Amino acid sequence: MKKINLPLAITSLGFVLALTACSSRNEWEMQALPSEVAVGAALDDIPDNALVRDIILPEHAALAMPMSVRPCCAFGADQKVAMGLLPIPFYRHANTVQLDEIGAHAFDAGSYSFEKSSPDSGKSTENNGMIYTRKGGFIDLAHVRDTADNALALFYLIKPKLGQAQSIELPLEIGHRTFELEEFDISHLTASERWELAASMAARLAFTMAEAHEISQWHGYRSFSLWTEAVSAYSIEDLYSNMLGAKIALAVLTNNLAMTKQQYNYHMTAWLASTLEWLEPVSKDQTNALFRAIDGNWWDSNEALPNKFVLLQRHYALGNKQSPYIVSKDKVQGSEDWALLASLYEQPVKPHNLSLATEMFGVQFDDIAVQHVSVDEEFKASFAHVPEALWADGFTHLQFVEIAKYDQQQDYILLKQHLAERPYLTHKIVEPSQVEAAQQPTLTSESKLEIGAQLNE
């Protein structure tokens, strides 16, 4: 999920608003009640720990879904910024960080936070941005944190009613969104299995929220009405970062380390730092140098934010398996920063792929939990290149992959024209796989112009 950082004059206003709201930030703590089975097991001479774990989360333990989206970063470094057609002189958007700068995690932080990273530490703010890792490529920390928070909230909505039908309201984007969960049998599952199932479902569903956000951004959704987010749609680091957040949240939940907001923040802070360390992060200077090495190929520093084609390389492969984009040695060996980057390539590294479970204990998640998305009138024109049967009456996460393919085809048309007008760019455009001819929509010239204008607004 991505909301672009705005120039300082605008973010200052957001900072003030955040300060006024921080006192009402979502506070919570959970009380897990023992079942009769758990009490009986606990009082046995030799307690059966599997039965002692049979705890109950009351329905009132449910959290509200996070409403804040953390400001985060367009792909690149030291980008130019424009408001409308007017560039902001002398301003460059710096958005890279290194491991020792990332700060304490804060649930539903939005634009501002001030939390302890551990019980004996001082308070700090989240410092989100881009960090490059040798195993995981570019990581957007705001995406990691947002999806982790969504997974946590979904767990506490799902677990108290696990196996029951329920509807979960989600924040609006291009239209009304819900998760619809059907009734299913859990009587054969142990207490630990029920906990594990609810946590895995929450992680998977949180990731589909991130996928929906990529589609929404492409089709015109804006967190801030004056600032188009088309540059961020299908950005190459987004979904890998989102899945990383889902998996970290799953680990925290599996270890039952999120019974209060403060406990969750402590352990999310520790797990995030340890996960990034395992992925082998580089310094801020090296991240910036890697961005310079791929300038003109994966992104274009000549374009000003929020122009769509600041980003040249995109990632449309939605789904429960994600792979990182690693900057290869041949891309940087001839750069002016090779001396700074050479140490990163002394030893071979294997990119670390991620995946999320879609089935557990015989329960197919897509059969019993579906995200529904409707399309409001103001966004319908942006779907002109997509067959109406896919979206006109709303769509579910089961259609996300197909819609992304149509978006990819449209981007191919626009990017091909953009590159033809800018021969200095080294990006090699690859024609996407074609959707079957029978499904191809017929677009008028006026429709194509309308879509192009909206995407480049």
Side-chain angles (χ1 to χ4, degrees), residues 360-382:
M360 187 169 286
F361 309 124
V363 179
Q364 297 289 336
F365 297 170
D366 287 348
D367 290 345
I368 53 93
V370 178
Q371 182 181 174
H372 289 262
V373 181
S374 63
V375 181
D376 287 348
E377 192 65 36
E378 64 183 294
F379 299 105
K380 289 183 177 180
S382 72

Side-chain angles (χ1 to χ4, degrees), residues 1-6 72-77 79-82 93 95 130 140 143 213-222 227-238 298-301 303-316 411 418 454-457:
M1 300 172 189
K2 182 166 289 187
K3 179 171 68 176
I4 304 301
N5 269 328
L6 302 179
C72 53
C73 315
F75 190 84
Q79 295 126 321
K80 300 175 183 177
V81 178
H93 175 52
N95 62 348
M130 294 279 194
D140 188 321
H143 280 240
H213 191 73
E214 298 298 314
I215 293 172
S216 293
Q217 286 183 310
W218 196 99
H219 288 273
Y221 169 75
R222 299 180 178 196
W227 192 267
T228 176
E229 299 184 25
V231 62
S232 297
Y234 302 110
S235 190
I236 62 173
E237 80 290 357
D238 283 0
W298 289 7
W299 72 291
D300 183 6
S301 64
E303 300 290 341
L305 292 173
N307 185 292
K308 178 182 176 74
F309 289 116
V310 167
L311 182 63
L312 302 173
Q313 181 72 37
R314 296 180 189 269
H315 176 76
Y316 303 90
D411 276 347
H418 180 84
Q454 183 172 12
L455 294 178
N456 287 287
E457 188 174 358

Side-chain angles (χ1 to χ4, degrees), residues 46-124:
I46 303 177
D48 184 336
N49 289 331
L51 298 179
V52 173
R53 294 191 188 99
D54 192 10
I55 59 175
I56 301 168
L57 290 177
E59 290 188 18
H60 65 258
L63 293 179
M65 290 300 300
M67 298 303 294
S68 303
V69 178
R70 290 170 171 85
C72 53
C73 315
F75 190 84
D78 295 328
Q79 295 126 321
K80 300 175 183 177
V81 178
M83 293 301 292
L85 298 176
L86 298 177
I88 299 176
F90 311 116
Y91 179 82
R92 291 294 183 272
H93 175 52
N95 62 348
T96 54
V97 295
Q98 58 191 36
L99 183 58
D100 59 1
E101 298 175 337
I102 65 176
H105 184 81
F107 176 78
D108 196 16
S111 301
Y112 176 76
S113 66
F114 196 55
E115 297 285 344
K116 286 186 174 184
S117 59
S118 63
D120 57 353
S121 69
K123 291 186 176 183
S124 65

Side-chain angles (χ1 to χ4, degrees), residues 117-426:
S117 59
S118 63
D120 57 353
S121 69
K123 291 186 176 183
S124 65
T125 63
E126 287 188 358
N127 187 20
N128 294 316
M130 294 279 194
I131 183 171
Y132 186 83
T133 63
R134 294 182 71 232
K135 294 181 182 178
F138 292 100
I139 305 295
D140 188 321
L141 294 178
H143 280 240
V144 177
R145 296 184 195 266
D146 278 342
T147 301
D149 288 357
N150 284 333
L152 177 84
L154 285 168
F155 173 79
Y156 282 116
L157 287 164
I158 292 170
K159 179 61 175 68
K161 296 182 178 181
L162 187 67
Q164 302 175 34
Q166 66 169 312
S167 180
I168 298 174
E169 293 284 334
L170 302 176
L172 299 178
E173 290 192 341
I174 58 172
H176 185 239
R177 288 195 301 164
T178 63
F179 281 123
E180 301 298 329
L181 278 68
E182 296 183 3
E183 182 178 354
F184 64 99
D185 182 27
I186 61 170
S187 61
H188 62 292
L189 301 178
T190 67
S192 293
E193 288 171 341
R194 293 195 298 272
W195 190 279
E196 185 179 350
L197 175 61
S200 295
M201 286 177 59
R204 172 66 180 139
L205 295 182
F207 181 72
T208 71
M209 290 179 64
E211 292 179 307
H213 191 73
E214 298 298 314
I215 293 172
S216 293
Q217 286 183 310
W218 196 99
H219 288 273
Y221 169 75
R222 299 180 178 196
S223 306
F224 180 73
S225 62
L226 299 179
W227 192 267
T228 176
E229 299 184 25
V231 62
S232 297
Y234 302 110
S235 190
I236 62 173
E237 80 290 357
D238 283 0
L239 291 181
Y240 188 89
S241 301
N242 289 119
M243 189 170 285
L244 194 66
K247 291 185 76 68
I248 294 174
L250 178 57
V252 171
L253 288 166
T254 298
N255 285 289
N256 197 13
L257 300 176
M259 294 299 287
T260 70
K261 178 182 176 182
Q262 191 62 74
Q263 185 191 36
Y264 168 68
N265 287 342
Y266 287 156
H267 292 292
M268 183 64 195
T269 298
W271 268 89
L272 176 57
S274 297
T275 300
L276 292 172
E277 185 69 42
W278 188 89
L279 291 172
E280 300 184 19
V282 306
S283 70
K284 182 192 295 185
D285 287 342
Q286 288 173 319
T287 296
N288 288 331
L290 287 163
F291 273 126
R292 288 192 293 270
I294 56 176
D295 186 8
N297 189 340
W298 289 7
W299 72 291
D300 183 6
S301 64
N302 292 290
E303 300 290 341
L305 292 173
N307 185 292
K308 178 182 176 74
F309 289 116
V310 167
L311 182 63
L312 302 173
Q313 181 72 37
R314 296 180 189 269
H315 176 76
Y316 303 90
L318 279 57
N320 66 308
K321 296 181 179 180
Q322 294 295 319
S323 299
Y325 283 72
I326 303 297
V327 181
S328 62
K329 184 176 180 179
D330 65 330
K331 283 186 169 66
V332 302
Q333 201 162 13
S335 76
E336 61 184 20
D337 295 301
W338 174 243
L340 176 62
L341 299 173
S343 62
L344 305 182
Y345 297 90
E346 289 176 354
Q347 299 294 329
V349 61
K350 183 179 180 181
H352 186 73
N353 300 325
L354 299 176
S355 65
L356 289 169
T358 59
E359 178 273 338
M360 187 169 286
F361 309 124
V363 179
Q364 297 289 336
F365 297 170
D366 287 348
D367 290 345
I368 53 93
V370 178
Q371 182 181 174
H372 289 262
V373 181
S374 63
V375 181
D376 287 348
E377 192 65 36
E378 64 183 294
F379 299 105
K380 289 183 177 180
S382 72
F383 282 85
H385 62 295
V386 183
E388 286 193 9
L390 273 180
W391 63 271
D393 296 322
F395 55 95
T396 75
H397 75 272
L398 304 177
Q399 281 80 52
F400 285 0
V401 169
E402 195 167 0
I403 289 173
K405 289 179 180 179
Y406 282 101
D407 293 345
Q408 181 181 14
Q409 289 180 352
Q410 191 64 26
D411 276 347
Y412 173 78
I413 296 169
L414 298 173
L415 180 57
K416 188 174 182 180
Q417 179 180 349
H418 180 84
L419 294 174
E421 296 169 354
R422 293 163 178 79
Y424 63 86
L425 295 174
T426 60

